[in-house]
Amino acid sequence: MPRYVPLSQAAIDIIEALPRWDGCPWLLPNPAKRKPYADLKRPWDTARDAAGLADLHIHDLRHSAASFMINAGIDLYAVGCILGHADHQSTMRYSHLANETLMAAVEAGAKQMHI
């Protein structure tokens, strides 16, 4: 079932700069066939190897994006909606909070105590 997934302006800019082929409606087609990829394993391996990131998995990108949003102060509910999670427990697995985020939370709490 299709669902709406918002993209950042930076992502849109990259998409708009992608090469296009006349008569090809696909965003990222197989350049040899100009048809959608049936499987992403080989193209992912090629891109990952070219970037020198042998241990990177596609799911790692999703995990990192969620952690970046949470560390930027976006609440778990919003991040869960973007990821398509039905409950917050799934989203919480993605919330690897940076030390700076944890320290900011502690400082914000201390300020509320009026110490």
Side-chain angles (χ1 to χ4, degrees):
M1 171 189 308
R3 68 182 186 86
Y4 172 77
V5 178
L7 295 176
S8 68
Q9 187 59 52
I12 292 168
D13 292 344
I14 290 169
I15 289 168
E16 288 175 347
L18 290 172
R20 305 294 275 192
W21 289 277
D22 289 338
C24 180
W26 309 109
L27 184 62
L28 294 169
N30 179 324
K33 300 175 184 178
R34 297 201 176 129
K35 301 269 185 203
Y37 285 97
D39 180 4
L40 289 178
K41 182 169 178 19
R42 286 190 60 200
W44 174 254
D45 288 345
T46 299
R48 186 185 63 191
D49 292 345
L53 300 169
D55 293 330
L56 185 68
H57 301 90
I58 289 177
H59 195 78
D60 296 336
L61 303 178
R62 175 180 168 90
H63 211 95
S64 294
S67 293
F68 292 150
M69 285 186 275
I70 291 166
N71 280 303
I74 307 304
D75 65 77
L76 284 174
Y77 177 76
V79 174
C81 287
I82 291 166
L83 297 176
H85 290 162
D87 70 78
H88 73 282
Q89 292 297 328
S90 297
T91 310
M92 289 189 62
R93 289 182 294 179
Y94 290 76
S95 62
H96 304 291
L97 296 175
N99 286 338
E100 296 83 20
T101 303
L102 298 173
M103 288 304 299
V106 170
E107 292 298 333
K111 285 181 184 175
Q112 292 301 314
M113 289 186 215
H114 303 289
I115 297 178

